[in-house]
Amino acid sequence: MPSRNDLRPNEEAVDGPPPGDAQLRFIGVIRTPFTSRELCPRQGDAINGPECRVVLEPLWHKALKGLERYDFIELFYWLHESRRDLVLQSPKANGETTGTFALRSPVRPNPIGLSRVRLLGVEAGALRVRGLDCLNGTPLLDVKPDRCAYTPQVPPKPTAMG
Amino acid sequence: MPSRNDLRPNEEAVDGPPPGDAQLRFIGVIRTPFTSRELCPRQGDAINGPECRVVLEPLWHKALKGLERYDFIELFYWLHESRRDLVLQSPKANGETTGTFALRSPVRPNPIGLSRVRLLGVEAGALRVRGLDCLNGTPLLDVKPDRCAYTPQVPPKPTAMG
């Protein structure tokens, strides 16, 4: 675990009870070319980035049925290397001390990452996507059709993608 | 826990190990006028809905610093009443059996809800927002500036909201 010695100027950490209000299950793993944080693209740069692969646990393969109808999907994942105790952060980019909830930093009390990605293809139990900026090996939490393209009452476009 | 007897036609549940790969901490609670699922608006209907209130635990109050600069924010919350074991679902709206990951149903292996809401005001440890469709009492997981409005390198608009 990181300590208070790792803080940048004006950053502030809090002591809370250990998390345990609800439990997550990892449903798969994300494969990207980014093997260290330094290699991860900045947010927003990723949509034209390299093709990545999302591999689901066999238990959940059937849950992909119908996903091929969408061009864009949301991926939720667990930022497993993030510390979780900072309330104030001083981002390297500008040093301006800001509250954690006013930043999209991976450092947050519940480090859930969310990316909107282009769905390139659906294979048996795996997705080919473009638009991820997370580390190789990041645990997958959820897959949803993109909300911008999603209209609950009207069926999505009927043809599968090519 | 729901049982297989609660399934609609063609729905399918799976047996997996109990979740425990990662732990969430609830950071607050969401107050809405919706006291039962039947009263919750459909997705997409909520942005013009009633004003709601997001109340943060005191431990995290400082983490709101700077959030008032944003007109829209993302709220992540835990859909604490959702079952988590369905791979195929037959939504009441159309009965078409579809994979869980091709739906935005609250029923999913990790029932994390995400809403983009309009930020009406920031008070000490609480937010006034419009655009929620979740049950009163829903546990809060995270608050982030809306990614559509977010440019990591450039500061947001300098004036606080009125």
Side-chain angles (χ1 to χ4, degrees):
Chain A
M1 280 298 288
S3 76
R4 286 170 194 275
N5 295 331
D6 301 316
L7 297 180
R8 295 195 185 118
N10 302 314
E11 286 192 334
E12 186 172 325
V14 290
D15 282 324
D21 295 315
Q23 316 281 323
L24 295 170
R25 68 176 80 212
F26 297 158
I27 61 168
V29 68
I30 295 176
R31 294 294 171 203
T32 74
F34 314 123
T35 52
S36 75
R37 285 194 218 185
E38 293 68 35
L39 294 174
C40 292
R42 287 192 69 85
Q43 290 167 353
D45 295 351
I47 199 71
N48 296 312
E51 183 174 320
C52 301
R53 195 172 169 80
V54 179
V55 182
L56 282 104
E57 296 285 347
L59 189 67
W60 303 105
H61 284 190
K62 279 189 182 175
L64 294 175
K65 176 181 157 68
L67 192 68
E68 69 283 351
R69 296 173 184 174
Y70 294 93
D71 290 333
F72 287 91
I73 59 175
E74 286 178 348
L75 297 176
F76 291 71
Y77 42 90
W78 187 246
L79 298 160
H80 57 302
E81 297 200 2
S82 291
R83 69 184 290 172
R84 303 174 63 173
D85 59 344
L86 292 195
V87 287
L88 293 174
Q89 302 183 41
S90 305
K92 201 160 41 173
N94 61 13
E96 188 187 342
T97 305
T98 305
T100 291
F101 300 140
L103 293 168
R104 290 188 69 93
S105 158
V107 172
R108 38 206 332 114
N110 292 298
I112 298 166
L114 167 66
S115 286
R116 179 176 181 259
V117 302
R118 182 183 291 278
L119 181 60
L120 304 174
V122 180
E123 301 168 1
L127 309 175
R128 294 186 300 112
V129 303
R130 197 182 298 279
L132 281 168
D133 58 9
C134 62
L135 277 174
N136 184 46
T138 295
L140 181 69
L141 295 176
D142 205 354
V143 178
K144 298 187 190 185
D146 186 58
R147 60 190 158 157
C148 302
Y150 194 70
T151 311
Q153 300 260 21
V154 179
K157 63 187 166 83
T159 54
M161 52 185 300
Chain B
M1 277 300 289
S3 75
R4 285 169 195 275
N5 296 331
D6 301 317
L7 297 179
R8 295 194 184 118
N10 303 314
E11 287 192 334
E12 187 173 324
V14 291
D15 283 323
D21 295 316
Q23 317 281 324
L24 295 171
R25 67 176 83 210
F26 297 159
I27 61 168
V29 68
I30 295 176
R31 295 293 170 204
T32 74
F34 314 123
T35 52
S36 74
R37 285 196 218 184
E38 293 67 34
L39 294 173
C40 293
R42 288 193 67 86
Q43 290 169 352
D45 295 350
I47 200 70
N48 296 312
E51 182 174 322
C52 301
R53 194 172 169 81
V54 179
V55 182
L56 283 105
E57 297 285 347
L59 189 65
W60 302 104
H61 285 189
K62 278 190 182 176
L64 294 175
K65 176 182 158 66
L67 191 68
E68 69 283 351
R69 295 174 184 173
Y70 293 93
D71 291 332
F72 288 91
I73 59 173
E74 286 178 349
L75 297 177
F76 291 71
Y77 42 90
W78 187 245
L79 297 159
H80 58 302
E81 296 200 1
S82 292
R83 69 184 290 172
R84 303 175 62 173
D85 59 345
L86 293 195
V87 288
L88 293 175
Q89 302 183 42
S90 305
K92 200 160 40 172
N94 62 12
E96 188 188 341
T97 305
T98 305
T100 290
F101 300 141
L103 294 168
R104 292 187 68 93
S105 158
V107 172
R108 37 208 330 116
N110 292 300
I112 299 165
L114 168 66
S115 285
R116 177 175 182 261
V117 301
R118 183 183 290 277
L119 181 60
L120 304 174
V122 180
E123 301 168 0
L127 309 175
R128 293 186 301 111
V129 303
R130 198 181 297 281
L132 281 168
D133 58 9
C134 61
L135 279 174
N136 184 46
T138 296
L140 182 70
L141 296 176
D142 206 355
V143 178
K144 297 187 191 185
D146 186 59
R147 61 192 157 157
C148 303
Y150 194 71
T151 310
Q153 300 259 22
V154 180
K157 64 188 167 78
T159 54
M161 53 184 301

